[in-house]
Amino acid sequence: MSKKRALITGVTGFVGPHLADLLLSQGDVDVMGTYRDSQNLQTLGPLRDRIELYPMDLTDQATVQETLTQARPDYLFHLAAQSNVAQSWKKSAQTFDVNVLGTIHLFEAIRTLALDPVIQIACSSEQYGLVAQEDLPVTEETAFHPLSPYAVSRVTVDLLSYQYFKSYGLQAIRTRAFNHTGPGQGDQFVCSRFAKKIAEIEKGIAPAVLTVGNLEAVRDFTDVRDVVRAYAMSVVKGKPGETYVIASGVGRSIREVLERLLRMSRVPILVEIDPALLRPSDVPALYGASDKFKEATDWKPEIPFEQTLSDLLDYWRARV
Ligand code: GDD
């Protein structure tokens, strides 16, 4: 029997290499990936030679159509996105172009080429936005009250996935992942930014002051390596048309994240609030319940948060 073909959009991002690595280690699929900028191919390391790579710009329908014509995937993991919440206020139009228009281009290519892949759509906990304390933990049924342009773009993608499933039978499975972190994450995101700064301070290449934004926000963190296991399971055991929350179930304040990382630091560090790191509106508290996904797949997060942070710090220690 010939191997199934899995295509990962945005394979050179933070999550893409972890997912490609996992799929290749399982050995039963050929892995393909799209990238926008060839400079980012170095994030793949030795995986690069084992993945069929396609240059693709989601905002350009022609390259999307061309990629899908050639790749003809059985599984499609749609990870490519403008995923930086803070940036989405400064680059709202670009956020919508990549996330919303890009997803329409992808769906239209699949539809017009009459392909029938099982599609995992990387939706986000950020879509829930302002959730009342009594509505936590968030489930698939919790209403959306998005607080950022990024969140609105993700809500739109979520609804488009539902609509294409209903209109055309597109086999879209929506995974609403909560925050995930770990080795390879860009330094625009809170855990990675703090870890990188600590590594720089330890090395003596930055002053011993860590600037921070809102420390009162509460988020639900899962290791990226657990999240990609969930994504891989979703296309096999999940049901097209359905939505699944992917979360650890534990809410942690950003202050707790900071304190944990500071305890791992080899040098003393001063902490200062930088008003430039505060957002026009910030989601106060989000944590989720993955019961529906656990029921469908038996997935559960396995890597303890302390391990994730320690691996992340070591990742930066090896790079700064
Ligand atoms: N980035 C950042 N940098 N955030 C900070 C900082 C800082 O120095 N200090 C405090 N924060 C606070 C933010 O205000 C926010 O409340 C929280 O830390 C988390 O910020 P991010 O790490 O940027 O993540 P996010 O929750 O906004 O969004 C991430 O998770 C979503 C859910 O999975 C992103 O990865 C999204 O793409 C993703 O959809």
Side-chain angles (χ1 to χ4, degrees):
M1 210 175 70
S2 65
K3 277 188 176 178
K4 299 260 195 209
R5 293 165 64 73
L7 178 66
I8 303 171
T9 68
V11 76
T12 57
F14 162 46
V15 181
H18 288 284
L19 179 58
D21 195 23
L22 174 75
L23 294 175
L24 287 166
S25 74
Q26 292 176 340
D28 53 355
V29 286
D30 287 324
V31 178
M32 306 171 286
T34 76
Y35 63 95
R36 196 175 38 124
D37 185 345
S38 57
Q39 284 190 347
N40 296 336
L41 286 170
Q42 39 85 18
T43 64
L44 292 171
L47 290 173
R48 186 171 170 169
D49 300 331
R50 303 176 62 203
I51 302 175
E52 207 174 298
L53 290 162
Y54 296 92
M56 184 181 93
D57 178 352
L58 273 173
T59 63
D60 175 0
Q61 171 74 58
T63 67
V64 178
Q65 196 81 16
E66 176 63 22
T67 301
L68 269 293
T69 304
Q70 290 180 36
R72 308 192 80 80
D74 300 295
Y75 300 123
L76 174 57
F77 297 91
H78 183 29
L79 306 185
Q82 194 303 89
S83 61
N84 186 330
V85 177
Q87 275 293 313
S88 76
W89 276 277
K90 295 176 190 126
K91 297 185 174 174
S92 309
Q94 194 210 4
T95 300
F96 274 74
D97 269 358
V98 175
N99 297 0
V100 178
L101 200 64
T103 302
I104 292 176
H105 287 158
L106 198 66
F107 287 173
E108 280 300 301
I110 293 165
R111 184 179 76 79
T112 55
L113 291 165
L115 303 175
D116 193 23
V118 180
I119 311 166
Q120 176 257 338
I121 301 291
C123 299
S124 163
S125 56
E126 182 73 9
Q127 293 168 212
Y128 293 107
L130 189 61
V131 180
Q133 191 62 39
E134 62 268 23
D135 293 331
L136 290 167
V138 164
T139 71
E140 290 76 9
E141 308 306 323
T142 307
F144 296 142
H145 295 97
L147 292 181
S148 62
Y150 167 79
V152 179
S153 79
R154 285 293 204 203
V155 168
T156 312
V157 168
D158 195 307
L159 295 176
L160 275 169
S161 308
Y162 173 77
Q163 179 252 310
Y164 270 76
F165 170 71
K166 285 292 190 189
S167 302
Y168 305 115
L170 222 77
Q171 299 195 66
I173 296 171
R174 291 163 283 164
T175 52
R176 293 190 192 138
F178 282 57
N179 294 56
H180 35 296
T181 187
Q185 188 173 37
D187 65 359
Q188 316 91 305
F189 303 97
V190 70
C191 300
S192 207
R193 182 171 172 275
F194 291 175
K196 183 182 180 190
K197 257 284 165 279
I198 291 172
E200 286 176 346
I201 295 168
E202 284 179 348
K203 209 162 194 183
I205 57 175
V209 181
L210 175 53
T211 53
V212 299
N214 177 13
L215 296 181
E216 307 318 318
V218 169
R219 293 289 187 276
D220 176 330
F221 292 94
T222 302
D223 192 291
V224 63
R225 293 159 288 191
D226 280 326
V227 169
V228 297
R229 270 196 311 108
Y231 288 174
M233 284 174 168
S234 73
V235 296
V236 181
K237 296 185 172 171
K239 203 164 147 220
E242 289 295 327
T243 306
Y244 299 99
V245 160
I246 313 283
S248 76
V250 181
R252 302 176 191 278
S253 69
I254 304 304
R255 185 180 300 283
E256 177 195 327
V257 174
L258 173 68
E259 283 167 359
R260 281 174 180 267
L261 280 166
L262 287 177
R263 278 198 294 275
M264 293 176 195
S265 169
R266 295 168 182 158
V267 294
I269 293 175
L270 215 70
V271 174
E272 268 176 19
I273 302 275
D274 177 357
L277 291 167
L278 302 174
R279 300 173 180 183
S281 47
D282 202 357
V283 174
L286 276 183
Y287 50 95
S290 285
D291 301 24
K292 181 177 169 186
F293 190 63
K294 286 177 181 163
E295 179 107 346
T297 64
D298 278 338
W299 174 85
K300 62 173 183 341
E302 285 170 358
I303 304 174
F305 189 49
E306 194 73 4
Q307 182 68 51
T308 304
L309 290 181
S310 153
D311 290 350
L312 179 60
L313 187 52
D314 284 343
Y315 167 83
W316 282 117
R317 282 177 175 144
R319 273 161 190 83
V320 295

